[in-house]
Amino acid sequence: MEFYIRRFADPDERIDQDALTSSMLNLGGMTISYEIRRPGRRWSTHVRPHVKTEWCRMRHVGVVLTETMHYLLDDGREFEVGPMTLHEVPPGHDAGGVG
């Protein structure tokens, strides 16, 4: 069995925006990111103008480490994910930090 060791300090791609720093690693057809979001960051405010879609069209699987994230799905459902929680979010959502 093969193994992989990758460090977010040496990412394949890095995004530095006013409200987000994201370090991304590509592994086995997946992109895995470590993100630092600043207060007030929301997908619909900070990303929608660039991608020009109504909702985020990516499926996300992740762990929230320290903040609480609020999600709004395109079917009207809403939920929050708190610290140290694994979650999966389907395509068709908006998201932002709480607090």
Side-chain angles (χ1 to χ4, degrees):
M1 179 174 155
E2 300 216 21
F3 66 92
Y4 300 91
I5 298 173
R6 300 291 313 275
R7 294 176 39 87
F8 285 106
D10 186 26
D12 295 315
E13 184 179 354
R14 185 175 173 95
I15 296 173
D16 286 303
Q17 294 179 338
D18 58 334
L20 170 75
T21 300
S22 180
S23 298
M24 292 169 271
L25 301 174
N26 298 315
L27 180 65
M30 294 185 298
T31 300
I32 302 160
S33 67
Y34 173 74
E35 297 183 351
I36 299 172
R37 300 166 185 261
R38 287 151 194 81
R41 166 140 170 98
R42 183 147 202 90
W43 184 90
S44 54
T45 303
H46 295 94
V47 180
R48 179 188 290 160
H50 301 285
V51 300
K52 299 182 180 7
T53 62
E54 185 66 21
W55 302 93
C56 177
R57 291 292 167 205
M58 300 293 294
R59 170 185 173 250
H60 299 285
V61 177
V63 176
V64 174
L65 296 177
T66 60
E67 68 176 342
T68 297
M69 292 291 295
H70 176 263
Y71 289 93
L72 171 63
L73 303 183
D74 60 4
D75 66 6
R77 291 180 292 165
E78 297 182 63
F79 61 95
E80 291 187 352
V81 178
M84 299 307 295
T85 304
L86 172 68
H87 63 289
E88 178 180 8
V89 182
H93 65 272
D94 185 15
V98 176

